[in-house]
Amino acid sequence: MKLSQKLIKEKTDPFFNQWTILKEVIENSHRLRDSKGQNAMSNGIILYKNLLQQCDNQVTPLNGQERLMFIEQRPSNYAAFRQLDELFAEMKKLIASKRVQLKRLEE
């Protein structure tokens, strides 16, 4: 399957929709200082890795691997949550940019 087919909205949007739900759970758990967000954070890490696979690891944020290692080492840390949220935001922008580039090449 070509990269352009893997980056279509229908293939990538579910990852971002799921992250929106997980993000709310994690934010609430940090605000309430309970441990319910730990499972959601683990699911968020898996979701991010699946998104990278969907994109064939050809679309990755700057220092993405190092940042992911930081997140995996400290999943209960608020800074790790913020970093994961930033990775998702950057991926969304990078995917949109790549879509535009690929569309221009196809024309």
Side-chain angles (χ1 to χ4, degrees):
M1 184 180 296
K2 292 186 336 184
L3 182 61
S4 61
Q5 292 172 327
K6 289 183 170 246
L7 294 179
I8 59 173
K9 271 179 124 10
E10 291 78 19
K11 298 267 186 181
T12 58
D13 277 359
F15 292 99
F16 298 110
N17 294 339
Q18 286 180 317
W19 173 244
T20 301
I21 294 165
L22 288 172
K23 178 182 171 182
E24 190 173 315
V25 171
I26 298 165
E27 281 180 328
N28 285 335
S29 76
H30 278 290
R31 192 176 309 118
L32 300 172
R33 297 183 191 264
D34 68 17
S35 60
K36 292 178 184 174
Q38 189 83 17
N39 191 36
M41 188 67 178
S42 296
N43 290 338
I45 293 168
I46 292 167
L47 185 66
Y48 178 74
K49 287 181 175 180
N50 290 339
L51 176 60
L52 287 175
Q53 282 183 326
Q54 174 66 33
C55 299
D56 285 338
N57 292 312
Q58 293 187 30
V59 179
T60 56
L62 187 63
N63 298 328
Q65 284 298 98
E66 294 85 0
R67 293 159 71 188
L68 184 57
M69 282 177 35
F70 169 80
I71 293 164
E72 290 176 322
Q73 292 170 353
R74 299 167 187 82
S76 61
N77 190 316
Y78 183 75
F81 159 65
R82 294 301 313 147
Q83 196 61 239
L84 186 59
D85 189 38
E86 286 300 315
L87 285 174
F88 270 101
E90 289 175 37
M91 280 296 288
K92 193 169 197 169
K93 291 175 190 174
L94 289 169
I95 289 169
S97 174
K98 193 71 163 179
R99 273 191 207 127
V100 170
Q101 290 174 359
L102 292 170
K103 190 170 187 170
R104 286 181 186 154
L105 289 174
E106 291 172 359
E107 291 176 349

Coordinates of all heavy atoms in Angstrom, one line a residue, residues 13-65:
D13 N -7.5 9.6 11.2 CA -8.4 10.3 12.1 C -8.8 9.5 13.3 O -8.9 10.0 14.5 CB -9.6 10.9 11.4 CG -9.3 12.2 10.8 OD1 -8.2 12.7 10.9 OD2 -10.2 12.8 10.2
P14 N -9.1 8.1 13.2 CA -9.5 7.4 14.4 C -8.4 7.4 15.5 O -8.8 7.4 16.7 CB -9.6 5.9 13.8 CG -10.0 6.2 12.4 CD -9.2 7.4 12.0
F15 N -7.1 7.5 15.1 CA -6.1 7.6 16.1 C -6.2 8.8 17.0 O -6.1 8.8 18.2 CB -4.7 7.5 15.5 CG -4.4 6.2 14.8 CD1 -4.5 6.0 13.5 CD2 -3.9 5.1 15.6 CE1 -4.2 4.8 12.9 CE2 -3.6 3.9 15.0 CZ -3.7 3.8 13.7
F16 N -6.5 9.9 16.3 CA -6.6 11.2 16.9 C -7.9 11.3 17.7 O -7.9 11.9 18.8 CB -6.5 12.4 15.9 CG -5.1 12.4 15.3 CD1 -5.0 12.1 13.9 CD2 -4.0 12.7 16.0 CE1 -3.8 12.0 13.3 CE2 -2.7 12.7 15.4 CZ -2.6 12.4 14.0
N17 N -9.0 10.7 17.2 CA -10.2 10.7 18.0 C -10.1 9.9 19.3 O -10.6 10.3 20.3 CB -11.3 10.1 17.1 CG -11.7 11.0 15.9 OD1 -11.4 12.2 15.9 ND2 -12.3 10.4 14.9
Q18 N -9.4 8.8 19.2 CA -9.2 8.0 20.4 C -8.3 8.7 21.4 O -8.5 8.6 22.6 CB -8.5 6.6 20.1 CG -9.5 5.6 19.4 CD -8.8 4.3 19.1 OE1 -7.7 4.3 18.6 NE2 -9.5 3.2 19.4
W19 N -7.3 9.4 20.9 CA -6.4 10.2 21.8 C -7.2 11.3 22.5 O -6.9 11.5 23.7 CB -5.2 10.8 21.0 CG -4.4 11.7 21.9 CD1 -4.2 13.0 21.8 CD2 -3.7 11.3 23.1 NE1 -3.5 13.5 22.8 CE2 -3.2 12.4 23.7 CE3 -3.6 10.1 23.8 CZ2 -2.4 12.4 24.8 CZ3 -2.8 10.1 25.0 CH2 -2.3 11.3 25.5
T20 N -8.1 11.9 21.8 CA -8.9 12.9 22.5 C -9.6 12.4 23.7 O -9.7 13.0 24.8 CB -9.9 13.5 21.5 OG1 -9.2 14.1 20.4 CG2 -10.8 14.6 22.1
I21 N -10.2 11.2 23.6 CA -10.9 10.5 24.7 C -9.9 10.2 25.8 O -10.1 10.5 27.0 CB -11.6 9.3 24.2 CG1 -12.7 9.7 23.2 CG2 -12.2 8.5 25.4 CD1 -13.3 8.6 22.4
L22 N -8.8 9.6 25.4 CA -7.8 9.2 26.4 C -7.2 10.4 27.1 O -7.0 10.4 28.3 CB -6.7 8.4 25.8 CG -7.0 7.0 25.3 CD1 -5.8 6.4 24.5 CD2 -7.3 6.1 26.5
K23 N -7.0 11.4 26.4 CA -6.4 12.7 26.9 C -7.3 13.2 28.0 O -6.7 13.6 29.1 CB -6.2 13.7 25.8 CG -5.7 15.0 26.2 CD -5.6 16.0 25.1 CE -5.3 17.4 25.5 NZ -5.3 18.3 24.4
E24 N -8.5 13.2 27.8 CA -9.5 13.7 28.8 C -9.4 12.9 30.1 O -9.4 13.4 31.2 CB -10.9 13.7 28.3 CG -11.9 14.5 29.2 CD -13.2 14.6 28.5 OE1 -13.3 14.9 27.3 OE2 -14.2 14.3 29.2
V25 N -9.3 11.6 30.0 CA -9.2 10.7 31.1 C -7.9 10.9 31.9 O -7.9 11.0 33.1 CB -9.3 9.2 30.7 CG1 -9.0 8.3 31.8 CG2 -10.7 8.9 30.1
I26 N -6.8 11.1 31.2 CA -5.5 11.3 31.8 C -5.5 12.6 32.5 O -5.0 12.8 33.6 CB -4.4 11.2 30.8 CG1 -4.4 9.7 30.2 CG2 -3.1 11.5 31.4 CD1 -3.5 9.6 28.9
E27 N -6.0 13.7 31.8 CA -6.0 15.0 32.4 C -6.8 15.0 33.7 O -6.4 15.6 34.7 CB -6.6 16.0 31.5 CG -5.7 16.5 30.4 CD -6.4 17.5 29.5 OE1 -7.6 17.4 29.2 OE2 -5.6 18.4 29.0
N28 N -8.0 14.3 33.7 CA -8.8 14.3 34.9 C -8.1 13.5 36.0 O -8.2 13.9 37.2 CB -10.1 13.6 34.6 CG -11.1 14.6 33.9 OD1 -10.9 15.8 34.0 ND2 -12.0 14.0 33.1
S29 N -7.4 12.4 35.7 CA -6.7 11.7 36.7 C -5.6 12.5 37.3 O -5.3 12.4 38.6 CB -6.2 10.3 36.2 OG -5.1 10.5 35.4
H30 N -4.9 13.3 36.5 CA -3.8 14.1 37.1 C -4.4 15.2 38.0 O -3.9 15.5 39.0 CB -3.0 14.7 36.0 CG -1.9 13.8 35.5 ND1 -0.8 13.4 36.2 CD2 -1.8 13.2 34.3 CE1 -0.1 12.6 35.5 NE2 -0.7 12.4 34.3
R31 N -5.5 15.8 37.5 CA -6.2 16.8 38.3 C -6.7 16.3 39.7 O -6.5 16.9 40.7 CB -7.3 17.4 37.5 CG -7.9 18.7 38.1 CD -9.0 19.3 37.2 NE -8.6 19.4 35.8 CZ -9.2 18.8 34.8 NH1 -10.3 18.0 35.0 NH2 -8.8 19.0 33.5
L32 N -7.2 15.1 39.6 CA -7.7 14.5 40.9 C -6.7 13.7 41.6 O -7.0 13.2 42.7 CB -8.9 13.5 40.5 CG -10.1 14.2 39.8 CD1 -11.1 13.2 39.4 CD2 -10.7 15.2 40.7
R33 N -5.5 13.6 41.0 CA -4.4 12.8 41.7 C -4.7 11.4 42.0 O -4.5 10.9 43.1 CB -3.9 13.5 42.9 CG -3.3 14.9 42.6 CD -2.8 15.6 43.8 NE -2.5 17.0 43.6 CZ -1.3 17.4 43.2 NH1 -0.3 16.6 43.1 NH2 -1.1 18.7 43.0
D34 N -5.4 10.7 41.0 CA -5.7 9.3 41.2 C -4.9 8.5 40.2 O -4.3 9.1 39.3 CB -7.2 9.0 41.2 CG -7.8 9.2 39.8 OD1 -7.1 9.3 38.8 OD2 -9.0 9.3 39.8
S35 N -4.9 7.2 40.3 CA -4.1 6.4 39.4 C -4.9 5.8 38.2 O -4.4 5.0 37.5 CB -3.5 5.2 40.2 OG -4.5 4.4 40.8
K36 N -6.1 6.2 38.0 CA -6.9 5.7 36.9 C -6.3 6.1 35.5 O -6.5 5.4 34.5 CB -8.3 6.2 37.0 CG -9.1 5.7 38.1 CD -10.5 6.3 38.2 CE -11.2 5.8 39.4 NZ -12.5 6.4 39.6
G37 N -5.6 7.1 35.5 CA -5.0 7.6 34.2 C -3.8 6.7 33.8 O -3.4 6.8 32.6
Q38 N -3.2 5.9 34.7 CA -2.1 5.1 34.3 C -2.4 4.1 33.2 O -1.7 4.0 32.2 CB -1.7 4.2 35.6 CG -0.4 3.5 35.4 CD 0.8 4.3 35.7 OE1 0.7 5.4 36.3 NE2 1.9 3.9 35.2
N39 N -3.6 3.5 33.2 CA -4.0 2.6 32.2 C -4.3 3.3 30.9 O -3.9 2.9 29.8 CB -5.3 1.8 32.6 CG -5.6 0.7 31.6 OD1 -4.7 0.0 31.1 ND2 -6.9 0.4 31.4
A40 N -4.9 4.5 31.0 CA -5.2 5.3 29.8 C -3.9 5.8 29.2 O -3.7 5.9 28.0 CB -6.1 6.5 30.2
M41 N -2.9 6.1 30.0 CA -1.6 6.5 29.5 C -0.9 5.4 28.7 O -0.4 5.6 27.7 CB -0.7 7.0 30.7 CG 0.6 7.7 30.2 SD 0.3 9.2 29.4 CE 2.0 9.7 29.1
S42 N -1.0 4.2 29.3 CA -0.4 3.0 28.6 C -1.1 2.8 27.2 O -0.5 2.6 26.2 CB -0.6 1.8 29.4 OG 0.2 1.9 30.6
N43 N -2.4 3.0 27.2 CA -3.2 2.9 26.0 C -2.8 4.0 25.0 O -2.7 3.8 23.8 CB -4.7 2.9 26.2 CG -5.2 1.7 26.9 OD1 -4.5 0.6 26.9 ND2 -6.3 1.8 27.6
G44 N -2.5 5.2 25.5 CA -2.1 6.3 24.7 C -0.8 6.0 24.0 O -0.5 6.3 22.8
I45 N 0.2 5.4 24.7 CA 1.5 5.1 24.2 C 1.3 4.1 23.1 O 1.9 4.2 22.0 CB 2.4 4.6 25.3 CG1 2.7 5.7 26.3 CG2 3.7 4.0 24.7 CD1 3.4 5.2 27.6
I46 N 0.5 3.1 23.3 CA 0.3 2.0 22.3 C -0.4 2.7 21.1 O 0.0 2.4 19.9 CB -0.6 0.9 22.9 CG1 0.2 0.1 23.9 CG2 -1.1 0.0 21.8 CD1 -0.7 -0.8 24.8
L47 N -1.3 3.5 21.3 CA -2.0 4.2 20.2 C -1.1 5.0 19.4 O -1.1 5.0 18.1 CB -3.1 5.1 20.8 CG -4.0 5.8 19.8 CD1 -4.9 4.8 19.0 CD2 -4.9 6.8 20.5
Y48 N -0.1 5.7 20.0 CA 0.8 6.5 19.3 C 1.8 5.6 18.5 O 2.0 5.9 17.3 CB 1.7 7.4 20.3 CG 2.7 8.2 19.6 CD1 2.4 9.3 18.9 CD2 4.1 7.8 19.6 CE1 3.4 10.0 18.2 CE2 5.0 8.5 19.0 CZ 4.7 9.6 18.3 OH 5.7 10.3 17.6
K49 N 2.2 4.5 19.0 CA 3.0 3.6 18.3 C 2.3 3.0 17.1 O 2.9 2.8 16.0 CB 3.5 2.4 19.2 CG 4.6 2.9 20.2 CD 5.0 1.7 21.0 CE 6.1 2.0 22.0 NZ 6.5 0.9 22.8
N50 N 1.0 2.7 17.3 CA 0.2 2.2 16.1 C 0.1 3.3 15.1 O 0.1 3.0 13.9 CB -1.2 1.8 16.6 CG -1.1 0.5 17.4 OD1 -0.1 -0.3 17.3 ND2 -2.1 0.2 18.2
L51 N -0.1 4.5 15.5 CA -0.1 5.6 14.5 C 1.2 5.7 13.7 O 1.2 5.9 12.5 CB -0.4 7.0 15.2 CG -0.4 8.2 14.3 CD1 -1.5 8.1 13.2 CD2 -0.6 9.5 15.2
L52 N 2.3 5.6 14.4 CA 3.6 5.6 13.7 C 3.7 4.4 12.7 O 4.1 4.6 11.5 CB 4.8 5.4 14.7 CG 5.1 6.7 15.5 CD1 6.2 6.3 16.5 CD2 5.5 7.8 14.7
Q53 N 3.2 3.3 13.1 CA 3.2 2.1 12.1 C 2.3 2.4 10.9 O 2.6 2.1 9.8 CB 2.7 0.9 12.8 CG 3.7 0.2 13.7 CD 3.2 -1.1 14.3 OE1 2.0 -1.2 14.7 NE2 4.1 -2.0 14.5
Q54 N 1.1 3.0 11.2 CA 0.2 3.3 10.1 C 0.9 4.2 9.1 O 0.7 4.1 7.9 CB -1.1 4.0 10.7 CG -2.0 4.5 9.6 CD -2.7 3.4 8.8 OE1 -2.9 2.3 9.3 NE2 -2.9 3.7 7.5
C55 N 1.7 5.1 9.6 CA 2.5 6.0 8.7 C 3.8 5.5 8.2 O 4.6 6.2 7.6 CB 2.7 7.4 9.4 SG 1.2 8.2 9.9
D56 N 4.0 4.2 8.4 CA 5.3 3.5 8.0 C 6.5 4.2 8.6 O 7.6 4.2 8.0 CB 5.4 3.5 6.5 CG 4.5 2.4 5.9 OD1 4.1 1.5 6.6 OD2 4.2 2.5 4.7
N57 N 6.3 4.8 9.7 CA 7.5 5.5 10.4 C 8.1 6.5 9.5 O 9.3 6.9 9.7 CB 8.5 4.5 10.9 CG 8.0 3.7 12.1 OD1 7.4 4.2 13.0 ND2 8.1 2.4 12.0
Q58 N 7.4 7.0 8.4 CA 8.0 8.0 7.5 C 7.6 9.4 7.9 O 8.2 10.3 7.4 CB 7.5 7.7 6.1 CG 8.1 6.4 5.5 CD 7.8 6.2 4.1 OE1 7.7 7.2 3.3 NE2 7.7 5.0 3.7
V59 N 6.7 9.5 8.8 CA 6.3 10.8 9.3 C 6.5 10.7 10.8 O 5.7 10.0 11.5 CB 4.8 11.1 9.0 CG1 4.3 12.4 9.6 CG2 4.5 11.0 7.5
T60 N 7.5 11.4 11.3 CA 7.8 11.4 12.7 C 8.2 12.8 13.2 O 8.9 13.5 12.5 CB 8.9 10.4 13.1 OG1 10.1 10.7 12.3 CG2 8.5 9.0 12.8
P61 N 7.8 13.1 14.4 CA 8.2 14.4 15.0 C 9.7 14.5 15.3 O 10.3 13.4 15.4 CB 7.4 14.5 16.3 CG 6.3 13.5 16.1 CD 6.8 12.5 15.2
L62 N 10.2 15.7 15.4 CA 11.6 15.9 15.7 C 11.9 15.2 17.1 O 11.1 15.4 18.1 CB 11.9 17.4 15.8 CG 13.3 17.8 16.0 CD1 14.1 17.3 14.8 CD2 13.4 19.3 16.1
N63 N 13.0 14.5 17.2 CA 13.4 13.8 18.4 C 12.3 12.8 18.9 O 12.1 12.6 20.1 CB 13.8 14.7 19.5 CG 15.0 15.6 19.1 OD1 15.8 15.1 18.4 ND2 15.0 16.8 19.6
G64 N 11.5 12.3 18.0 CA 10.3 11.5 18.4 C 10.7 10.3 19.2 O 10.0 9.9 20.2
Q65 N 11.8 9.6 18.8 CA 12.2 8.4 19.5 C 12.6 8.7 20.9 O 12.2 8.0 21.9 CB 13.3 7.6 18.8 CG 12.8 6.9 17.6 CD 11.9 5.8 17.9 OE1 10.6 6.0 17.8 NE2 12.4 4.7 18.4

